[in-house]
Amino acid sequence: MSLLPPAADRDAPDPSLLLGQDYWMLTSTPSAGTTSEDIAALAPAHIAWLLDLEERGLVFLSGPLVSGPGAGPGSGVTVLRASDEADATAIASADPFVTAGLRSFVVHRWRLNEGSVSMRLSLGRGTYEWH
């Protein structure tokens, strides 16, 4: 349930308040013939690579595409914090799926303007809820 009045009753949005934070979005596409077994075999190395990037503050968001056009074994999206396109490309080129020839990627400069993130973290119970 929203606590905001209907959009028609609100003031016009102020574009100057948009976040306007740039990131680098990688869209990954499986190479021809890549199978689920190929991906499963390299998944531990791929996840270790991503977790290292996360610990270094370079990964903002990442995950596989599970349905829709182009979804298949090895397809996914990763959003990086990188200094420029060359840096994002160098990072993506080190992905174990890429170095093994299981997928390719395209780098997009992506500007985050709108959205909402909320999370509830219980320190005493060691749980979290992502909304």
Side-chain angles (χ1 to χ4, degrees):
M1 181 171 112
S2 175
L3 300 177
L4 296 173
D9 296 338
R10 286 185 249 146
D11 292 333
D14 179 353
S16 72
L17 297 177
L18 298 176
L19 180 62
Q21 177 67 48
D22 287 354
Y23 295 93
W24 297 94
M25 181 177 68
L26 312 174
T27 54
S28 298
T29 305
S31 301
T34 298
T35 66
S36 295
E37 292 77 19
D38 297 331
I39 295 301
L42 278 182
H46 171 74
I47 293 168
W49 170 76
L50 279 170
L51 292 177
D52 175 66
L53 294 175
E54 182 182 300
E55 288 174 9
R56 293 168 40 207
L58 298 175
V59 170
F60 176 48
L61 303 165
S62 187
L65 293 174
V66 295
S67 69
S75 62
V77 174
T78 298
V79 180
L80 297 174
R81 296 176 184 99
S83 58
D84 55 31
E85 185 174 355
D87 189 27
T89 299
I91 293 167
S93 295
D95 178 350
F97 289 156
V98 172
T99 61
L102 297 179
R103 72 180 185 185
S104 59
F105 62 89
V106 175
V107 177
H108 308 266
R109 186 173 181 180
W110 178 60
R111 181 158 298 149
L112 178 58
N113 278 334
E114 307 88 4
S116 172
V117 175
S118 63
M119 182 178 74
R120 179 181 174 165
L121 174 65
S122 171
L123 300 175
R125 297 197 181 271
T127 61
Y128 72 92
E129 296 173 26
W130 179 265
H131 302 279

